Amino acid sequence: MHFVDVKGILSAQNGMNLYRGCTHGCIYCDSRSTCYQFTHAFEDIEVKQNAPELLEKALRSKRKKCMIGTGAMCDPYMHCEEQLGLTRKCLEIIDRYEFGVAIQTKSDRILRDLELLKSINRKSKCVVQMTLTTFDEDLCRIVEPNVCTTKRRFEVLQIMRDNGIPTVVWMTPILPFINDTRENIEGILDYCIQAKVYGILTFGMGLTLRQGNREYYYKALDKHFPGLHEKYHKKYGYDYELPSENSQELMQLLYKTCRDNGMVCKPQEIFEYLHAFPEGKGYEQLSLF
C-alpha cells in the first residue's frame, strides 16, 4: 500500500472513497476496469491519508446535515483498515457532527465499529449495506476469496438488526452459469427475510464486463471453471451486459419474495431511502452518490 494526500474527499453528491484498490479478490470486480485509470497495481492500496481532515473541513462548512456515502468503489473495511483505522476516524467525525452515513461492505470488520454506528444511528441515521451474491459457502470462497463468506455477512446483518440499524442487501452481480440458479437466489432471499433487511438492490440477474475486469474475470474462469470462458465468449462475445438465461424467472422470484415480506426492491426507492436524512434533523434530499 502507499499513501497520498488528495485535494478533496467528498463528491458533489456527498460520497467518499477513502481507499483506491482492493484486497478482497472478488473475481468479478468492476473497479478493476481500465476506465478508472489506476496507475498502480489494484492490490497496492492507495490510502488517502488526509481524508479525515478533509472530511471534517467539509462537514463543518455544510449548511444542512445530510447522508454521507462510502463503499461504492472500494470497500472501506479491507485488510488494511485493521491497521490504519481510516474508516473509523471518518465515522468518528460523522458522529461528532451528527451527519448520517450509508456504508457498503462485504466484510465483518464493520462489527469493530458497531458502537460508533449505533451512536450515529441514534443521532441521525446509519444504513449498513452488505453484498450477498453466493449462498453456497464453497462457491463463495472461489468467487469472493479474501473476505468473509455470505453466511458470516448474514450474521452481520442479524447483529445490525438486533441493534436497530437498518440494512440493505446488494444482490449483485449474479454470474451466468455459476450462481444464477433458483437455489442460490432462494438461499440469499431467505437470509434477507431472517435479517429483516429494508431492501434488496439488484439491476437484473447477470453481470457487466468491460476492459480490465473482463480479462481478470476470464482468467478466474480458466482457473476455477474450465471450459466456461469459451461458453461465455460464444454466448456474449465482448458485450458489456451479460444477462443470465434465467433472469426473468429469478427476477420474478425476487419481486414476489420482497412483496410477500415487506422488502423494497425498486432501485430508485432504495436509493432515495439511502440518501434521505431524517426529517427534523436538517433534512436534505440528495441525488445519487
Side-chain angles (χ1 to χ4, degrees):
M1 81 187 143
H2 61 282
F3 297 83
V4 298
D5 286 325
V6 293
K7 294 181 179 179
I9 195 59
L10 284 186
S11 71
Q13 293 77 36
N14 298 300
M16 65 178 182
N17 286 290
L18 307 176
Y19 302 106
R20 290 195 79 212
C22 190
T23 51
H24 286 166
C26 303
I27 68 172
Y28 51 73
C29 183
D30 177 73
S31 293
R32 292 180 180 273
S33 301
T34 56
C35 63
Y36 298 118
Q37 301 179 329
F38 275 80
T39 57
H40 56 87
F42 192 70
E43 289 78 11
D44 177 18
I45 306 303
E46 182 175 283
V47 181
K48 299 177 184 180
Q49 61 185 354
N50 62 332
E53 293 80 9
L54 292 175
L55 178 63
E56 182 160 18
K57 181 180 179 181
L59 298 191
R60 196 166 53 228
S61 65
K62 281 189 177 292
R63 292 177 300 165
K64 292 183 179 180
K65 303 292 178 63
C66 64
M67 297 292 289
I68 306 299
T70 190
M73 278 292 295
C74 296
D75 198 306
Y77 286 102
M78 291 181 292
H79 303 80
C80 61
E81 173 63 18
E82 292 183 6
Q83 172 188 346
L84 301 175
L86 196 63
T87 298
R88 181 172 181 84
K89 291 174 185 176
C90 289
L91 289 175
E92 289 172 342
I93 294 166
I94 291 170
D95 182 49
R96 187 184 319 134
Y97 285 87
E98 299 187 2
F99 280 68
V101 69
I103 189 165
Q104 183 180 348
T105 184
K106 289 186 178 83
S107 176
D108 60 352
R109 293 185 186 93
I110 193 172
L111 294 176
R112 178 202 64 185
D113 296 333
L114 179 59
E115 291 304 315
L116 190 50
L117 298 175
K118 287 166 61 178
S119 178
I120 294 172
N121 199 44
R122 283 193 302 268
K123 296 173 183 176
S124 55
K125 177 181 173 183
C126 172
V127 185
V128 169
Q129 305 160 75
M130 298 291 290
T131 300
L132 307 183
T133 68
T134 309
F135 181 72
D136 181 275
E137 291 289 282
D138 292 332
L139 181 58
C140 184
R141 291 184 181 95
I142 294 173
V143 173
E144 299 157 347
N146 303 326
V147 67
C148 65
T149 62
T150 300
K151 184 178 180 181
R152 178 56 175 163
R153 291 176 229 167
F154 164 58
E155 292 171 352
V156 172
L157 290 170
Q158 290 181 302
I159 292 169
M160 296 299 166
R161 175 203 64 199
D162 293 344
N163 284 277
I165 296 174
T167 55
V168 166
V169 162
W170 288 66
M171 193 168 68
T172 183
I174 300 300
L175 312 178
F177 312 116
I178 296 177
N179 61 3
D180 61 336
T181 65
R182 188 178 186 92
E183 180 182 17
N184 182 56
I185 301 303
E186 285 179 337
I188 296 171
L189 291 174
D190 185 57
Y191 277 162
C192 293
I193 294 168
Q194 292 184 60
K196 298 182 179 180
V197 305
Y198 171 83
I200 302 172
L201 191 59
T202 187
F203 305 99
M205 301 294 170
L207 82 158
T208 59
L209 292 178
R210 47 188 165 186
Q211 186 177 358
N213 80 312
R214 178 186 291 112
E215 290 79 2
Y216 189 84
Y217 183 68
Y218 282 160
K219 284 182 181 179
L221 294 189
D222 290 336
K223 179 179 180 180
H224 299 290
F225 307 97
L228 197 51
H229 181 171
E230 290 76 14
K231 191 172 183 178
Y232 266 73
H233 188 72
K234 182 177 179 180
K235 181 173 178 60
Y236 301 110
Y238 292 92
D239 290 349
Y240 170 62
E241 295 184 356
L242 286 67
S244 166
E245 293 179 343
N246 306 321
S247 182
Q248 185 174 357
E249 174 193 354
L250 298 179
M251 288 302 293
Q252 289 302 317
L253 174 61
L254 169 67
Y255 294 147
K256 184 180 187 305
T257 303
C258 287
R259 184 171 60 248
D260 292 347
N261 292 276
M263 297 183 292
V264 176
C265 61
K266 293 181 179 179
Q268 185 60 36
E269 190 173 345
I270 293 175
F271 282 127
E272 288 175 355
Y273 173 73
L274 292 173
H275 304 156
F277 194 82
E279 295 274 5
K281 296 184 179 180
Y283 178 86
E284 181 179 13
Q285 183 65 45
L286 301 176
S287 58
L288 299 185
F289 289 144

